[in-house]
Amino acid sequence: MLESIQETAEKIRKLEIQGARNVAIAAIKTIEVLAKHTQAKNKADFLKELSKAKKTLFVTRETEPLMRNAIRWIMNRVDKNNSKKVKDIARTVSSSANQFLNNLERSREEIATIGANRIRNGSVIFTHCHSSTVTYMLQKAKQQGKIFEVICTETRPIFQGRKTAKEMLDLDLKTTMIVDSAARHFMNQADIVLVGSDAITSEGNVINKIGTSLIALAAHEARTPFYVVSELLKFDPATIHGDYEKIEERDSSEVWKDPPKKLIIRNPAFDVTRRDYIHGIICEEGIISPHSTMEVVRRKYPWVFE
Amino acid sequence: MLESIQETAEKIRKLEIQGARNVAIAAIKTIEVLAKHTQAKNKADFLKELSKAKKTLFVTRETEPLMRNAIRWIMNRVDKNNSKKVKDIARTVSSSANQFLNNLERSREEIATIGANRIRNGSVIFTHCHSSTVTYMLQKAKQQGKIFEVICTETRPIFQGRKTAKEMLDLDLKTTMIVDSAARHFMNQADIVLVGSDAITSEGNVINKIGTSLIALAAHEARTPFYVVSELLKFDPATIHGDYEKIEERDSSEVWKDPPKKLIIRNPAFDVTRRDYIHGIICEEGIISPHSTMEVVRRKYPWVFE
Amino acid sequence: MLESIQETAEKIRKLEIQGARNVAIAAIKTIEVLAKHTQAKNKADFLKELSKAKKTLFVTRETEPLMRNAIRWIMNRVDKNNSKKVKDIARTVSSSANQFLNNLERSREEIATIGANRIRNGSVIFTHCHSSTVTYMLQKAKQQGKIFEVICTETRPIFQGRKTAKEMLDLDLKTTMIVDSAARHFMNQADIVLVGSDAITSEGNVINKIGTSLIALAAHEARTPFYVVSELLKFDPATIHGDYEKIEERDSSEVWKDPPKKLIIRNPAFDVTRRDYIHGIICEEGIISPHSTMEVVRRKYPWVFE
Amino acid sequence: MLESIQETAEKIRKLEIQGARNVAIAAIKTIEVLAKHTQAKNKADFLKELSKAKKTLFVTRETEPLMRNAIRWIMNRVDKNNSKKVKDIARTVSSSANQFLNNLERSREEIATIGANRIRNGSVIFTHCHSSTVTYMLQKAKQQGKIFEVICTETRPIFQGRKTAKEMLDLDLKTTMIVDSAARHFMNQADIVLVGSDAITSEGNVINKIGTSLIALAAHEARTPFYVVSELLKFDPATIHGDYEKIEERDSSEVWKDPPKKLIIRNPAFDVTRRDYIHGIICEEGIISPHSTMEVVRRKYPWVFE
Amino acid sequence: MLESIQETAEKIRKLEIQGARNVAIAAIKTIEVLAKHTQAKNKADFLKELSKAKKTLFVTRETEPLMRNAIRWIMNRVDKNNSKKVKDIARTVSSSANQFLNNLERSREEIATIGANRIRNGSVIFTHCHSSTVTYMLQKAKQQGKIFEVICTETRPIFQGRKTAKEMLDLDLKTTMIVDSAARHFMNQADIVLVGSDAITSEGNVINKIGTSLIALAAHEARTPFYVVSELLKFDPATIHGDYEKIEERDSSEVWKDPPKKLIIRNPAFDVTRRDYIHGIICEEGIISPHSTMEVVRRKYPWVFE
Amino acid sequence: MLESIQETAEKIRKLEIQGARNVAIAAIKTIEVLAKHTQAKNKADFLKELSKAKKTLFVTRETEPLMRNAIRWIMNRVDKNNSKKVKDIARTVSSSANQFLNNLERSREEIATIGANRIRNGSVIFTHCHSSTVTYMLQKAKQQGKIFEVICTETRPIFQGRKTAKEMLDLDLKTTMIVDSAARHFMNQADIVLVGSDAITSEGNVINKIGTSLIALAAHEARTPFYVVSELLKFDPATIHGDYEKIEERDSSEVWKDPPKKLIIRNPAFDVTRRDYIHGIICEEGIISPHSTMEVVRRKYPWVFE
C-alpha cells in the first residue's frame, strides 16, 4: 500500500497538490489509507511501514510544517498506544487522523471568526499571494455584512494574486490589482495588511511567499497594521534546533521561459518576515504577539515538541 | 512642417520612442527640422509655430522633464535673440539644439566616469528597470577592468529588467535575475544599488520606475548605499511651484491581458523615492546630496528657472 | 435588590465613580450586596439575577476590563460550586468577591514595591494623566527616602494631570507641569516615563489616556525608558477574539463649551500604545515584556480565559 | 518721534500686536513714521535715531526674525545711501519699507499659489496652531474649487486652534477639532500636515508653536507628508553664529490660573522641529528642502548676511 | 570548613576565577566540599552553615546570576528534603550539585549543537569579548566541516578578544581582529553576530561585556542578525522585582595605569542590550525570542522563582 | 631645494608631523621655502619644481584634503599670475601661502566663537579622539565663563583621547574618560557630541577617526545632538568625481605588538559618518547642514573646483 503514499508524495512534489492545508490533508488521508489496508503481520512491520511513509512524505517539499506536524501527531498517538495488535494501531492512525482534520477545520473557523472581527466597515485591505485562510476569513466578514475593499498584488512569478482577485470578485468585493513593485505606492491607502503563512519559526518570524517581507517593511514605514493569518501548526519545530527554515528555490522557467544563456535566475519561493514587522498572528488561540508563538504552541500542542 | 512635430509627438505618446534621452533627442531633432524648413514669413509667425510645437510636445507624456527642459533651452535662446529675421532665429534653434545634444553627450560621459569610480572590484550591484545611463556607466567600469556582478529585477509589468540583463551579459558580467518581490531577500548580498531617474523634484525626491521606492526602503533597512544615476536636467521645474510630479498611469492590459470583469487594475508607471533614502545623485556635477539638487541646477542651468 | 446594581451601573456610566480600581471595587461590592440580600427561591433564579447584574454592569463603559474580570472571577467561582442551595452560592459570591479585593490590594502593594525599586535617586520622572497605581508607587519610593522629581502633563481635556501634580506636591516632590504638546520638548530631560493603563490587549498593546502613545513615541525617539504600571487584570480577553478595544468617545463640551456651529469635535478618551514602545509592564508578576502578557495572564489567572 | 517706536515696541511685547507678519508690518510702519517726522539736523543724528529704534524693536520678543530682517533690510538700504541729506535718507527709509511690504505681500501670494497646488481633491489636512500663511493658502485652494477637510488641534495653552477652526468653517470647510494629545490617534487619517513657522535656523530646523515637533514625529511615523509654510525671511541669521534660537517662555497663568503653591509650570511657546521630519518648506522660492534653506536665502536675500 | 568557602569567594572577587560558568562551578564545588566535611551536629546548624556560605558567595560579584541560580537550586533541594539527619541533607547537597553540573554540561552541548546549525558555510561571524559558550559552539561548527571566518574585537580594557582570537586560530579559522571602535566599519561584511551573556533580565534584555549594546545597534542598522548564545540560567530573578541588574564598575587602572590627576575614569564592565536588537537567544530550549525568556525559564526551571 | 620638500613629506608620512592643520601648515611652509630659495632660471623650470613638490606632498597620506587644498590654492594663484619672471611667481607663492595661513587662523577663531555659543551652561559634552579645533573651541567657551564637563573616549589604538583628557584637565574642566565601547552606555548622560573631521565628501558625509560613525549612531538613537567642528577646506574635491575617500589602513602593531601568527589585524584609521547622523557642521561659514556643504564650499572657495 506504500505505492499510494509514493503517489501522493509525487503529487505534492510536482505541485499537483498545493497549499499547506491541502498538502496536509492529502498526506493524512494517504496514511489513513495505508493503515486501513495494511497487510503487516505484526506491530513491528506496521511501524516500519508507517515510518517509511513518514520519511517519504517529509522529504517532498522543504517548507511544509503543517503536513509534518500532522504526521507527527499521528505518530505520537501511535507511540502512546501500547497494544500489540496491528488492528488497534491502525485504528489509532485512523482516529488521530480524523482528530487532526477536525482540529484543522475548527481552527479555520475560529481564525475566520476572530479575523473577521478585525475588519472595519469601509476599510481597505491589502493582501499578497493567495491564502485560503485569508480568503475564508474575508468571506466570513463579507457575510457579516461588512463593507470593505481589497488590493491584491499580482504575485510574480506565478500570479497567485489572480486567484485571490477572482475569489474577491466572486464575493462581490471592490477589488484592485497592482504589480508587486507598486506595494509602497499604494500602502498609504491601505488600512490593514493581511497575509497567510507557510511556516513560523521558534524566534517568531514568519516564512511566506516571496515579497511578504518587503510588504511588511513598507507597512511598517507607513504605520499600517500588518497581520499574519495562520494555523498555529504552521510552527516548524525544526527551527528550535537552529535549522534554518529552508527557502525552496523553484524552477527558473517560472520567471523567464527562454532566458539568454548564462543568465542566472534565482527564484526563491519564500522570504522571512521579522516578528517586529508583524502586529499579530491571527490564529486559533486568538490574536497573539508573534514573539510568544513558541510558548503558545507548547501550551496548546505539546506533542509537537516530543 | 508641423506634421513632423505631430508625428514625433505621436511616437512618443505611443512609446515607439521611449527612454528619457531618446525622447528628448527626438523632440529636439524634430524642432530643428521645423526650424530648417519653416516657411514662416516673419518672426511672429515663426514664433507661433515654435510655440505650437512646444505645446504639442509638452503634452505627450507626463513625466518627461528632460524633453521639456530641452525645449525650454531652445526657446530661451530664441527669446534672447533680438534679430527680426526668421533665418537668424532658425539658426539659433539649430545651434541651441546642437548645444543641448552636445551637453547631453558630455553629461553622459562625465556621469559614466564619475559613477565608474564608485564601482569597487568584486562588488555586487543591484539595479531595477533599465536605464541607459546606468548601463553606460557599468560598461565604462567594465572597460576599466573592474570585476563585478549584477543583480537585476525583472521589472513588471513590461520586463525592462530583461533588457538590462541582456546588456549586462553582453558585457560579459555575471548577471542574476530575480522577481521584483525578491528585492529584500537579496538586498543583504548587494554592495550598492544603482537606479536611473525619470524626474527630480525641487524637494530632492526622485521619480523613477514603479518599485524604486520599495527597493530604496529595503536598501535603507540593510545599510546598502543607494545611488541615483541621472542627468541634472531631469530636474522638473514645475515641482517648484507645488505641482505634483504627475504619475503616469498606463494601460491595465500590461498587467493582465484578460482580467475578470469589474477588476480594477492600477498601473502607475513610477513612484517617488524620498531624498532620505538616497545616498547621492551621480550627475554631471559630481556626486551630490539630493537635498541640494535645486541649488545645483540653479547654478549650472539658470535658464531652467526663467 | 437589582436596583442597587442599576444605581451603581448608573454612577459608573455618569463617571460619578471613576478610575479602573474604583469601578471594579464598586461593581464587586454591589454584587456582594445582591448576594447577601437575595430573595431568590432557588439556584436557577439566583443565577438569573447574577447574570442580569453582570450584563447591567458590563455595558456601563467600554474600556473597563478590570471590572469585567472581577465579575468573571465571581461567576467562575459560582459556576464551580455544585451546591444547589442559594445560601451556599451566595456565600461563594461573597468569598470570591473578597478574594478578588484582597488580590487587588496585594497586587497594588507588589506593583508599588517592584516599581519603587526602579526609581533611581536623583532621577526625573515623566508622567501623563492620573493613575492611582503610579502615584502609589511613587509614594512608596519617596517613603524609602529616594529623591526624585516629577514632570506631569496637564492632560487635556479634563486636566487629570492637575490631580497628579497636587498629589506629587503633597509628597513634597519637586513637580513641574507642562502642556501636553510640550512632551517632546522636555523628553530629553526625563530619565524614565511611567504611565498607567486602562486595558492591555492580547497583542501586548496598552490602551491608556489619549496622548499616551504620542509620549511613548517621543520617549522612543529619545531612548528614554517607557514603563506601564498596571495590574495584570487590566488584560482584556475580548481582544483575543479579534474585538478591537473600543475607544470611548466622550462629550465634545469637554473640549470646547461653546464651539462654533458645524465644528466637529472628536474627543476619544484613550489611544493605543504599541508594545514596541513599551520597555516593560510593571505588574504583580514583576516587570515583564508586554509581548508575553497574554501568556503570563494565562498562567496566573487561567479563569479569565474560561 | 521715538515715543511712537516705544509704543509699538510695547504693544509687541504685550502681544497686543502678534503674528510674525503683523509684528513685522507694525515695526516697519513705525520706523517709516519716525523717518517722515524726524527732526534730526544731520545725518549722524538721524542714524543715531534709527539705530536706537532698531535696538528698541529688536529686544521686544525673542523669536521674531521676520521683524528683525525687515529692519535689517531698511538699515542696509540706508547704509548704502551715500547722500548726506537727512531728507534723502528718510526717503530711502520710506522706499525700502515699502519694498519690504510689497515683497512680503508678493511672497504671501506666491506661497499661497504654490501651496494650493499641493492640495489634492478629497484630502484631509492636519494643522496645528494658527498661521495666517497656512489659512490664506487654504483659502486659495478652496477658491480654486478644491474639496478637502481640515483637522485642527486646539493648541493649548491659549487655544489658537480655535481661531483656525473658525476661519476654516468660514471657508465652509468640513472642520474637526481635537485635543493636542490626540494627534497620533488621528494621524493615519490625514493626507498631509501643514504648519507655519516662527523661525528657520541655519541648520534647516524650524521653530514653531510648542507641539509642532511632536506632530512632525507622529507624521514621520505614519509616513504622512509634513510641510512648513513660511516666508524665507523667517530665516534667523543669528543661528549661523551658533546662537540658539531662544525659546520664549511665557507666563504660567496661561497654563493654570490658580495652581497649587510650589508647582513649577514650564510654558515654552515654541519647540524645534528637526529638518529630517520636514518634507519641504513651501516658500516664495518654491517648495524647497529645508537642508538648503540657508543657501536659498543667501541667493535671494544676500543682505540678510551683511 | 567555611574557610574553603571564603577562599573561593575571595578568588571570585579577585577574578582569579572568572567566566560565568567557571564561577558557578567553583561555587558549587566549594559548597559540596562544605557538605562533605561538615561537622555540624544537627540539621539546624548545618542549615546555618549553608546559609552563611550562600551569603558569602552571593556578594562576591554583582553580575553572577548563574552562580546564584546554582546555589538557589541546591538550597531548593535542601529545603524540600524533610530528613532531619545532617548526612541526608549533605547527600542532597552533593547530588543536587551534581545534577546542576550535569545540566550545565548538557545545556552547553545542546547550545553548541543548536548554534552550530545556524552557521552557514562561507559566512563571516562577528563576535565581541570572550564567551566559552560561543567558542565551544564555533568549535562544534568547525568539526562538522563548516567553513567560516571570524572577526573579533580586541575588547578593551582587558583585551579578552585576544583570548577569543587565539582560540579561533587554534581551530584553524581565518581570524581578523579590529579595535572596538571599528565595529560599524566592518559590520556590513559580517553575516551574523554572536555574543555571550552575563545576565538576562525579566524584560528580556541582555547584560554582557561593555560594548555589546553598541555592536547590537550597528548590527540592527545594517540588518545583520544578532544572536545571544547563553544558558537560560543566566536569567536573573532579581530583575523581576524591579532591581536593576547592577553594572559592576571595575578599577580605573584597567583603562589607564598612570592617569593625570583629577581625571575621572569610568569603567563599567557591562552594558544592557535591548531585546529589540536581539534576533534570538540560542539556549538549551532552542532559539527563542528574548521577549519570552522569563516564561521559558518558568516552564523549564520553576524553582528559580520559588 | 626640493630636499626640504622631501624631508617634510617624509615627516608627514612617518607621522612626525600630524593633525590636519599641522600637516597643512608644514606643507605650505616648505613650499614657501622652495619658492624663496629656488634657483630655477625661468618660469617653466620653476613651475616644474612646484609641480614636483605638489606631487611629492600629495602622496604622503591618503586623507589630507586640507593640505591638498592649501597647495591647490597656491597653484591656483600661480596659474593666474601672467608674469614671466621667476621672482614674481615666487612672490605669489609666498603671498598666497600667507593668505592661506591667515585664512586658516581666521577660520579657527570664527569656528571657536560660533561653537562656543552652542555650549550651554551646565552641559555634558561627549567627544572622541583629539581635534585641536574642538579643544580650541572648548577653551574659548571656558574663557567665556561657561561651566560644563567633558566625557572623552580613550580612542584606541593610539589613545589620542588621553591627549584630549589632559588638555581638558588643563582647562580645569571636570573630565571623564571611558573606553570606546562604553559610548552607548554613557550617551544618555551627554547633552551634545562634538567631534572633528579629517575630510568632508561631496555627499556631505564626514570622514573622521575610526569609531566616530558608531558614536554618531548611538547619539542618533538617544536624540543627542551630534556636531562636527571643522574648517570647510577639509572638503575633498576628489569625492565629487566619485573617488572614494580612501580609508588609510595603519600598521597592525598599533593594535597588538606581538600577535599570534596568521592573525589578520585590520586597522583602518577612519570611518565614514553619514550626513543624516550629523546635526550640523560648525565651520567658518556658521553652523550649516552637511547636505549643503559642497554648495557652501563652491560659494566661499570656488578655486577648489577649478
Side-chain angles (χ1 to χ4, degrees), chain A residues 154 156 162 175 177 221 255 264 277, chain B residues 154 156 162 175 177 221 255 264 266 277:
Chain A
E154 57 172 14
R156 283 281 295 164
R162 295 185 178 179
T175 306
M177 169 158 287
E221 186 205 26
V255 179
I264 301 160
Y277 294 143
Chain B
E154 58 172 13
R156 284 280 294 163
R162 295 186 178 177
T175 307
M177 169 159 287
E221 186 205 26
V255 179
I264 300 160
R266 295 290 308 273
Y277 294 143

PDB file of all heavy atoms in Angstrom, chain A residues 154 156 162 175 177 221 255 264 277, chain B residues 154 156 162 175 177 221 255 264 266 277:
ATOM      1  N   GLU A 154      -0.198  41.115  -7.862  1.00  0.00           N
ATOM      2  CA  GLU A 154      -0.345  40.008  -8.806  1.00  0.00           C
ATOM      3  C   GLU A 154       0.454  38.783  -8.348  1.00  0.00           C
ATOM      4  O   GLU A 154       0.097  37.662  -8.641  1.00  0.00           O
ATOM      5  CB  GLU A 154       0.074  40.432 -10.215  1.00  0.00           C
ATOM      6  CG  GLU A 154       1.509  40.951 -10.295  1.00  0.00           C
ATOM      7  CD  GLU A 154       1.957  41.174 -11.737  1.00  0.00           C
ATOM      8  OE1 GLU A 154       1.133  41.195 -12.654  1.00  0.00           O
ATOM      9  OE2 GLU A 154       3.185  41.327 -11.936  1.00  0.00           O
ATOM     10  N   ARG A 156       4.119  37.766  -8.664  1.00  0.00           N
ATOM     11  CA  ARG A 156       5.012  37.053  -9.566  1.00  0.00           C
ATOM     12  C   ARG A 156       5.787  35.990  -8.777  1.00  0.00           C
ATOM     13  O   ARG A 156       5.924  36.118  -7.568  1.00  0.00           O
ATOM     14  CB  ARG A 156       5.998  38.055 -10.197  1.00  0.00           C
ATOM     15  CG  ARG A 156       5.387  38.897 -11.302  1.00  0.00           C
ATOM     16  CD  ARG A 156       5.296  38.165 -12.604  1.00  0.00           C
ATOM     17  NE  ARG A 156       6.635  37.865 -13.110  1.00  0.00           N
ATOM     18  CZ  ARG A 156       6.894  36.966 -14.064  1.00  0.00           C
ATOM     19  NH1 ARG A 156       5.898  36.276 -14.606  1.00  0.00           N
ATOM     20  NH2 ARG A 156       8.128  36.759 -14.465  1.00  0.00           N
ATOM     21  N   ARG A 162      -3.865  36.533  -8.859  1.00  0.00           N
ATOM     22  CA  ARG A 162      -5.050  36.484  -9.728  1.00  0.00           C
ATOM     23  C   ARG A 162      -6.122  35.581  -9.137  1.00  0.00           C
ATOM     24  O   ARG A 162      -7.311  35.863  -9.251  1.00  0.00           O
ATOM     25  CB  ARG A 162      -4.639  35.993 -11.121  1.00  0.00           C
ATOM     26  CG  ARG A 162      -3.701  36.981 -11.795  1.00  0.00           C
ATOM     27  CD  ARG A 162      -3.372  36.591 -13.224  1.00  0.00           C
ATOM     28  NE  ARG A 162      -2.501  37.616 -13.813  1.00  0.00           N
ATOM     29  CZ  ARG A 162      -2.006  37.567 -15.039  1.00  0.00           C
ATOM     30  NH1 ARG A 162      -2.315  36.527 -15.816  1.00  0.00           N
ATOM     31  NH2 ARG A 162      -1.225  38.531 -15.496  1.00  0.00           N
ATOM     32  N   THR A 175     -12.327  45.215  -5.881  1.00  0.00           N
ATOM     33  CA  THR A 175     -11.012  44.578  -5.883  1.00  0.00           C
ATOM     34  C   THR A 175     -10.081  45.290  -6.855  1.00  0.00           C
ATOM     35  O   THR A 175     -10.450  45.564  -7.984  1.00  0.00           O
ATOM     36  CB  THR A 175     -11.151  43.099  -6.294  1.00  0.00           C
ATOM     37  OG1 THR A 175     -12.119  42.485  -5.445  1.00  0.00           O
ATOM     38  CG2 THR A 175      -9.822  42.367  -6.172  1.00  0.00           C
ATOM     39  N   MET A 177      -6.063  45.312  -8.460  1.00  0.00           N
ATOM     40  CA  MET A 177      -4.819  44.558  -8.601  1.00  0.00           C
ATOM     41  C   MET A 177      -3.679  45.498  -8.986  1.00  0.00           C
ATOM     42  O   MET A 177      -3.862  46.406  -9.785  1.00  0.00           O
ATOM     43  CB  MET A 177      -4.981  43.487  -9.667  1.00  0.00           C
ATOM     44  CG  MET A 177      -3.648  42.865 -10.047  1.00  0.00           C
ATOM     45  SD  MET A 177      -3.843  41.248 -10.780  1.00  0.00           S
ATOM     46  CE  MET A 177      -4.276  40.302  -9.321  1.00  0.00           C
ATOM     47  N   GLU A 221       6.770  51.172   7.612  1.00  0.00           N
ATOM     48  CA  GLU A 221       7.134  52.557   7.296  1.00  0.00           C
ATOM     49  C   GLU A 221       5.917  53.465   7.314  1.00  0.00           C
ATOM     50  O   GLU A 221       6.013  54.647   7.657  1.00  0.00           O
ATOM     51  CB  GLU A 221       7.809  52.609   5.917  1.00  0.00           C
ATOM     52  CG  GLU A 221       8.356  53.972   5.543  1.00  0.00           C
ATOM     53  CD  GLU A 221       8.480  54.206   4.043  1.00  0.00           C
ATOM     54  OE1 GLU A 221       7.726  53.567   3.254  1.00  0.00           O
ATOM     55  OE2 GLU A 221       9.298  55.023   3.654  1.00  0.00           O
ATOM     56  N   VAL A 255      10.155  32.248 -14.042  1.00  0.00           N
ATOM     57  CA  VAL A 255      10.467  33.666 -14.153  1.00  0.00           C
ATOM     58  C   VAL A 255      10.645  34.099 -15.608  1.00  0.00           C
ATOM     59  O   VAL A 255      10.179  35.145 -16.035  1.00  0.00           O
ATOM     60  CB  VAL A 255      11.741  34.005 -13.335  1.00  0.00           C
ATOM     61  CG1 VAL A 255      12.097  35.477 -13.468  1.00  0.00           C
ATOM     62  CG2 VAL A 255      11.544  33.646 -11.864  1.00  0.00           C
ATOM     63  N   ILE A 264      21.810  33.842 -14.767  1.00  0.00           N
ATOM     64  CA  ILE A 264      21.412  33.112 -13.561  1.00  0.00           C
ATOM     65  C   ILE A 264      20.054  33.644 -13.138  1.00  0.00           C
ATOM     66  O   ILE A 264      19.884  34.858 -12.997  1.00  0.00           O
ATOM     67  CB  ILE A 264      22.430  33.351 -12.435  1.00  0.00           C
ATOM     68  CG1 ILE A 264      23.828  32.896 -12.877  1.00  0.00           C
ATOM     69  CG2 ILE A 264      21.995  32.636 -11.155  1.00  0.00           C
ATOM     70  CD1 ILE A 264      24.940  33.518 -12.058  1.00  0.00           C
ATOM     71  N   TYR A 277       7.951  43.320  12.478  1.00  0.00           N
ATOM     72  CA  TYR A 277       7.096  43.969  11.490  1.00  0.00           C
ATOM     73  C   TYR A 277       5.667  43.436  11.545  1.00  0.00           C
ATOM     74  O   TYR A 277       4.822  43.842  10.765  1.00  0.00           O
ATOM     75  CB  TYR A 277       7.676  43.770  10.086  1.00  0.00           C
ATOM     76  CG  TYR A 277       8.999  44.451   9.864  1.00  0.00           C
ATOM     77  CD1 TYR A 277       9.997  43.867   9.096  1.00  0.00           C
ATOM     78  CD2 TYR A 277       9.262  45.700  10.426  1.00  0.00           C
ATOM     79  CE1 TYR A 277      11.213  44.505   8.889  1.00  0.00           C
ATOM     80  CE2 TYR A 277      10.467  46.334  10.228  1.00  0.00           C
ATOM     81  CZ  TYR A 277      11.446  45.739   9.464  1.00  0.00           C
ATOM     82  OH  TYR A 277      12.645  46.370   9.259  1.00  0.00           O
TER      83      TYR A 277
ATOM     84  N   GLU B 154      13.246  41.742 -12.601  1.00  0.00           N
ATOM     85  CA  GLU B 154      12.647  41.598 -13.934  1.00  0.00           C
ATOM     86  C   GLU B 154      11.871  42.855 -14.329  1.00  0.00           C
ATOM     87  O   GLU B 154      11.757  43.166 -15.501  1.00  0.00           O
ATOM     88  CB  GLU B 154      11.749  40.360 -14.000  1.00  0.00           C
ATOM     89  CG  GLU B 154      10.626  40.366 -12.965  1.00  0.00           C
ATOM     90  CD  GLU B 154       9.632  39.227 -13.180  1.00  0.00           C
ATOM     91  OE1 GLU B 154       9.905  38.290 -13.946  1.00  0.00           O
ATOM     92  OE2 GLU B 154       8.541  39.290 -12.560  1.00  0.00           O
ATOM     93  N   ARG B 156       8.354  44.147 -13.549  1.00  0.00           N
ATOM     94  CA  ARG B 156       6.988  44.071 -14.067  1.00  0.00           C
ATOM     95  C   ARG B 156       6.428  45.480 -14.185  1.00  0.00           C
ATOM     96  O   ARG B 156       6.875  46.374 -13.475  1.00  0.00           O
ATOM     97  CB  ARG B 156       6.116  43.256 -13.098  1.00  0.00           C
ATOM     98  CG  ARG B 156       6.351  41.766 -13.175  1.00  0.00           C
ATOM     99  CD  ARG B 156       5.629  41.142 -14.351  1.00  0.00           C
ATOM    100  NE  ARG B 156       4.172  41.255 -14.151  1.00  0.00           N
ATOM    101  CZ  ARG B 156       3.287  41.098 -15.126  1.00  0.00           C
ATOM    102  NH1 ARG B 156       3.681  40.853 -16.354  1.00  0.00           N
ATOM    103  NH2 ARG B 156       1.998  41.205 -14.856  1.00  0.00           N
ATOM    104  N   ARG B 162      14.736  42.652 -18.286  1.00  0.00           N
ATOM    105  CA  ARG B 162      15.307  41.693 -19.240  1.00  0.00           C
ATOM    106  C   ARG B 162      16.277  42.397 -20.189  1.00  0.00           C
ATOM    107  O   ARG B 162      17.304  41.830 -20.572  1.00  0.00           O
ATOM    108  CB  ARG B 162      14.187  40.999 -20.017  1.00  0.00           C
ATOM    109  CG  ARG B 162      13.323  40.139 -19.101  1.00  0.00           C
ATOM    110  CD  ARG B 162      12.294  39.337 -19.863  1.00  0.00           C
ATOM    111  NE  ARG B 162      11.556  38.505 -18.902  1.00  0.00           N
ATOM    112  CZ  ARG B 162      10.539  37.715 -19.236  1.00  0.00           C
ATOM    113  NH1 ARG B 162      10.133  37.657 -20.500  1.00  0.00           N
ATOM    114  NH2 ARG B 162       9.927  36.990 -18.316  1.00  0.00           N
ATOM    115  N   THR B 175      25.500  37.813 -14.183  1.00  0.00           N
ATOM    116  CA  THR B 175      24.218  38.518 -14.067  1.00  0.00           C
ATOM    117  C   THR B 175      23.157  37.595 -13.484  1.00  0.00           C
ATOM    118  O   THR B 175      23.018  36.457 -13.933  1.00  0.00           O
ATOM    119  CB  THR B 175      23.766  39.013 -15.456  1.00  0.00           C
ATOM    120  OG1 THR B 175      24.831  39.772 -16.032  1.00  0.00           O
ATOM    121  CG2 THR B 175      22.522  39.859 -15.366  1.00  0.00           C
ATOM    122  N   MET B 177      19.009  37.348 -12.315  1.00  0.00           N
ATOM    123  CA  MET B 177      17.697  37.993 -12.376  1.00  0.00           C
ATOM    124  C   MET B 177      16.786  37.449 -11.285  1.00  0.00           C
ATOM    125  O   MET B 177      16.792  36.246 -11.000  1.00  0.00           O
ATOM    126  CB  MET B 177      17.063  37.743 -13.736  1.00  0.00           C
ATOM    127  CG  MET B 177      15.595  38.151 -13.752  1.00  0.00           C
ATOM    128  SD  MET B 177      15.003  38.436 -15.409  1.00  0.00           S
ATOM    129  CE  MET B 177      15.818  39.996 -15.744  1.00  0.00           C
ATOM    130  N   GLU B 221      17.077  49.811   4.995  1.00  0.00           N
ATOM    131  CA  GLU B 221      16.971  48.873   6.113  1.00  0.00           C
ATOM    132  C   GLU B 221      18.251  48.064   6.268  1.00  0.00           C
ATOM    133  O   GLU B 221      18.625  47.673   7.378  1.00  0.00           O
ATOM    134  CB  GLU B 221      15.777  47.939   5.889  1.00  0.00           C
ATOM    135  CG  GLU B 221      15.487  47.017   7.054  1.00  0.00           C
ATOM    136  CD  GLU B 221      14.747  45.742   6.649  1.00  0.00           C
ATOM    137  OE1 GLU B 221      14.868  45.306   5.483  1.00  0.00           O
ATOM    138  OE2 GLU B 221      14.071  45.181   7.497  1.00  0.00           O
ATOM    139  N   VAL B 255      -0.667  44.619 -17.286  1.00  0.00           N
ATOM    140  CA  VAL B 255      -0.631  43.805 -16.067  1.00  0.00           C
ATOM    141  C   VAL B 255      -1.335  42.465 -16.264  1.00  0.00           C
ATOM    142  O   VAL B 255      -0.870  41.416 -15.828  1.00  0.00           O
ATOM    143  CB  VAL B 255      -1.248  44.568 -14.875  1.00  0.00           C
ATOM    144  CG1 VAL B 255      -1.241  43.721 -13.621  1.00  0.00           C
ATOM    145  CG2 VAL B 255      -0.509  45.882 -14.641  1.00  0.00           C
ATOM    146  N   ILE B 264     -10.463  46.115 -10.909  1.00  0.00           N
ATOM    147  CA  ILE B 264      -9.764  47.368 -11.165  1.00  0.00           C
ATOM    148  C   ILE B 264      -8.273  47.050 -11.196  1.00  0.00           C
ATOM    149  O   ILE B 264      -7.754  46.439 -10.266  1.00  0.00           O
ATOM    150  CB  ILE B 264     -10.049  48.367 -10.032  1.00  0.00           C
ATOM    151  CG1 ILE B 264     -11.550  48.636  -9.944  1.00  0.00           C
ATOM    152  CG2 ILE B 264      -9.271  49.662 -10.252  1.00  0.00           C
ATOM    153  CD1 ILE B 264     -11.964  49.193  -8.591  1.00  0.00           C
ATOM    154  N   ARG B 266      -4.687  48.875 -11.260  1.00  0.00           N
ATOM    155  CA  ARG B 266      -3.971  50.159 -11.193  1.00  0.00           C
ATOM    156  C   ARG B 266      -2.556  49.917 -11.686  1.00  0.00           C
ATOM    157  O   ARG B 266      -1.902  48.977 -11.240  1.00  0.00           O
ATOM    158  CB  ARG B 266      -3.946  50.678  -9.744  1.00  0.00           C
ATOM    159  CG  ARG B 266      -5.309  51.043  -9.168  1.00  0.00           C
ATOM    160  CD  ARG B 266      -5.909  52.281  -9.799  1.00  0.00           C
ATOM    161  NE  ARG B 266      -4.993  53.413  -9.793  1.00  0.00           N
ATOM    162  CZ  ARG B 266      -4.866  54.278  -8.777  1.00  0.00           C
ATOM    163  NH1 ARG B 266      -5.629  54.171  -7.724  1.00  0.00           N
ATOM    164  NH2 ARG B 266      -3.988  55.264  -8.856  1.00  0.00           N
ATOM    165  N   TYR B 277      16.324  58.420   1.480  1.00  0.00           N
ATOM    166  CA  TYR B 277      16.750  57.062   1.161  1.00  0.00           C
ATOM    167  C   TYR B 277      17.861  57.048   0.101  1.00  0.00           C
ATOM    168  O   TYR B 277      18.324  55.985  -0.290  1.00  0.00           O
ATOM    169  CB  TYR B 277      15.558  56.233   0.665  1.00  0.00           C
ATOM    170  CG  TYR B 277      14.504  56.008   1.718  1.00  0.00           C
ATOM    171  CD1 TYR B 277      13.147  56.005   1.412  1.00  0.00           C
ATOM    172  CD2 TYR B 277      14.857  55.797   3.055  1.00  0.00           C
ATOM    173  CE1 TYR B 277      12.177  55.796   2.384  1.00  0.00           C
ATOM    174  CE2 TYR B 277      13.893  55.592   4.026  1.00  0.00           C
ATOM    175  CZ  TYR B 277      12.559  55.590   3.691  1.00  0.00           C
ATOM    176  OH  TYR B 277      11.613  55.376   4.657  1.00  0.00           O
TER     177      TYR B 277
END
